[in-house]
């Protein structure tokens, strides 16, 4: 879950990628398996610092 401005999301993705590597997995982004974002907050009504976004990346086990 990313909390904060959309501009700060790359830092969350970097943390996700580090965790994926630490767990011995591979990020499996491709033309078929894509990055997903689920927006839980309405940016028109919420404080930017409190925006909540679920960020999902497909992963797979290393061969």
């Amino acid at each position: 879950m990313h909390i904060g401005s959309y501009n700060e999301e790359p830092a969350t993705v970097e943390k996700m990628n580090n965790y994926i590597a630490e767990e011995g997995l591979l990020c499996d982004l491709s033309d078929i398996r894509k990055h997903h974002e689920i927006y839980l907050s309405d940016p028109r009504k919420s404080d930017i610092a409190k925006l909540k976004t679920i960020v999902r990346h497909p992963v797979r086990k290393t061969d």
Side-chain angles (χ1 to χ4, degrees):
M1 164 115 33
H2 172 73
I3 299 175
S5 168
Y6 301 138
N7 293 334
E8 297 169 6
E9 189 179 304
T12 298
V13 171
E14 183 178 351
K15 288 178 186 178
M16 290 171 55
N17 288 333
N18 290 338
Y19 179 80
I20 290 167
E22 289 169 7
E23 293 298 313
L25 301 169
L26 294 174
C27 189
D28 194 24
L29 293 171
S30 68
D31 288 340
I32 296 170
R33 298 183 58 143
K34 301 181 187 240
H35 166 101
H36 292 102
E37 296 180 4
I38 302 169
Y39 303 104
L40 300 178
S41 306
D42 184 342
R44 299 169 295 177
K45 298 177 182 177
S46 301
D47 179 359
I48 291 174
K50 296 180 181 178
L51 293 175
K52 293 181 181 177
T53 308
I54 296 174
V55 181
R56 298 177 5 172
H57 280 184
V59 297
R60 65 179 171 87
K61 293 181 180 180
T62 55
D63 296 331

